[in-house]
mmCIF file of all heavy atoms in Angstrom:
data_model
loop_
_atom_site.group_PDB
_atom_site.id
_atom_site.type_symbol
_atom_site.label_atom_id
_atom_site.label_comp_id
_atom_site.label_asym_id
_atom_site.label_seq_id
_atom_site.Cartn_x
_atom_site.Cartn_y
_atom_site.Cartn_z
ATOM 1 N N GLU A 751 101.562 119.935 87.428
ATOM 2 C CA GLU A 751 101.135 119.061 88.532
ATOM 3 C C GLU A 751 99.981 119.692 89.350
ATOM 4 O O GLU A 751 99.985 120.884 89.594
ATOM 5 C CB GLU A 751 102.295 118.781 89.502
ATOM 6 C CG GLU A 751 103.666 118.630 88.865
ATOM 7 C CD GLU A 751 103.782 117.439 87.934
ATOM 8 O OE1 GLU A 751 103.524 116.317 88.387
ATOM 9 O OE2 GLU A 751 104.128 117.637 86.756
ATOM 10 N N GLY A 752 99.050 118.827 89.747
ATOM 11 C CA GLY A 752 98.036 119.245 90.707
ATOM 12 C C GLY A 752 96.997 120.263 90.232
ATOM 13 O O GLY A 752 96.379 120.945 91.031
ATOM 14 N N VAL A 753 96.786 120.336 88.899
ATOM 15 C CA VAL A 753 95.809 121.319 88.397
ATOM 16 C C VAL A 753 94.396 120.744 88.294
ATOM 17 O O VAL A 753 93.466 121.453 87.919
ATOM 18 C CB VAL A 753 96.215 121.908 87.018
ATOM 19 C CG1 VAL A 753 97.383 122.853 87.163
ATOM 20 C CG2 VAL A 753 96.515 120.814 86.009
ATOM 21 N N GLY A 754 94.243 119.450 88.611
ATOM 22 C CA GLY A 754 92.899 118.859 88.623
ATOM 23 C C GLY A 754 92.528 118.080 87.368
ATOM 24 O O GLY A 754 91.348 117.900 87.081
ATOM 25 N N LYS A 755 93.550 117.621 86.641
ATOM 26 C CA LYS A 755 93.273 116.830 85.432
ATOM 27 C C LYS A 755 92.437 115.601 85.762
ATOM 28 O O LYS A 755 91.456 115.314 85.095
ATOM 29 C CB LYS A 755 94.583 116.337 84.801
ATOM 30 C CG LYS A 755 95.272 117.347 83.923
ATOM 31 C CD LYS A 755 96.525 116.729 83.307
ATOM 32 C CE LYS A 755 97.585 116.472 84.319
ATOM 33 N NZ LYS A 755 97.921 115.087 84.601
ATOM 34 N N THR A 756 92.885 114.870 86.780
ATOM 35 C CA THR A 756 92.247 113.596 87.105
ATOM 36 C C THR A 756 90.769 113.791 87.446
ATOM 37 O O THR A 756 89.919 113.013 87.013
ATOM 38 C CB THR A 756 92.999 112.921 88.269
ATOM 39 O OG1 THR A 756 94.399 112.979 87.976
ATOM 40 C CG2 THR A 756 92.591 111.477 88.432
ATOM 41 N N THR A 757 90.472 114.834 88.209
ATOM 42 C CA THR A 757 89.084 115.121 88.584
ATOM 43 C C THR A 757 88.236 115.399 87.345
ATOM 44 O O THR A 757 87.131 114.858 87.197
ATOM 45 C CB THR A 757 89.035 116.345 89.519
ATOM 46 O OG1 THR A 757 89.953 116.122 90.592
ATOM 47 C CG2 THR A 757 87.649 116.573 90.074
ATOM 48 N N LEU A 758 88.752 116.222 86.447
ATOM 49 C CA LEU A 758 87.998 116.553 85.237
ATOM 50 C C LEU A 758 87.772 115.309 84.373
ATOM 51 O O LEU A 758 86.663 115.083 83.873
ATOM 52 C CB LEU A 758 88.747 117.624 84.419
ATOM 53 C CG LEU A 758 88.103 117.951 83.069
ATOM 54 C CD1 LEU A 758 86.702 118.539 83.249
ATOM 55 C CD2 LEU A 758 88.977 118.903 82.250
ATOM 56 N N ILE A 759 88.815 114.499 84.227
ATOM 57 C CA ILE A 759 88.705 113.310 83.381
ATOM 58 C C ILE A 759 87.634 112.358 83.936
ATOM 59 O O ILE A 759 86.826 111.826 83.194
ATOM 60 C CB ILE A 759 90.071 112.592 83.260
ATOM 61 C CG1 ILE A 759 91.072 113.511 82.550
ATOM 62 C CG2 ILE A 759 89.943 111.280 82.506
ATOM 63 C CD1 ILE A 759 92.507 113.027 82.600
ATOM 64 N N ARG A 760 87.636 112.188 85.251
ATOM 65 C CA ARG A 760 86.635 111.310 85.874
ATOM 66 C C ARG A 760 85.222 111.820 85.617
ATOM 67 O O ARG A 760 84.309 111.065 85.305
ATOM 68 C CB ARG A 760 86.865 111.218 87.391
ATOM 69 C CG ARG A 760 87.940 110.251 87.799
ATOM 70 C CD ARG A 760 87.380 109.123 88.678
ATOM 71 N NE ARG A 760 86.470 108.220 87.942
ATOM 72 C CZ ARG A 760 86.854 107.069 87.401
ATOM 73 N NH1 ARG A 760 88.093 106.666 87.479
ATOM 74 N NH2 ARG A 760 85.989 106.301 86.772
ATOM 75 N N LYS A 761 85.056 113.128 85.749
ATOM 76 C CA LYS A 761 83.725 113.715 85.534
ATOM 77 C C LYS A 761 83.278 113.528 84.087
ATOM 78 O O LYS A 761 82.111 113.208 83.824
ATOM 79 C CB LYS A 761 83.744 115.215 85.863
ATOM 80 C CG LYS A 761 83.655 115.528 87.355
ATOM 81 C CD LYS A 761 83.726 117.049 87.563
ATOM 82 C CE LYS A 761 83.645 117.436 89.019
ATOM 83 N NZ LYS A 761 82.285 117.309 89.574
#
Side-chain angles (χ1 to χ4, degrees):
E751 324 296 303
V753 288
K755 278 182 291 113
T756 313
T757 308
L758 175 63
I759 296 169
R760 279 242 68 96
K761 280 178 180 285

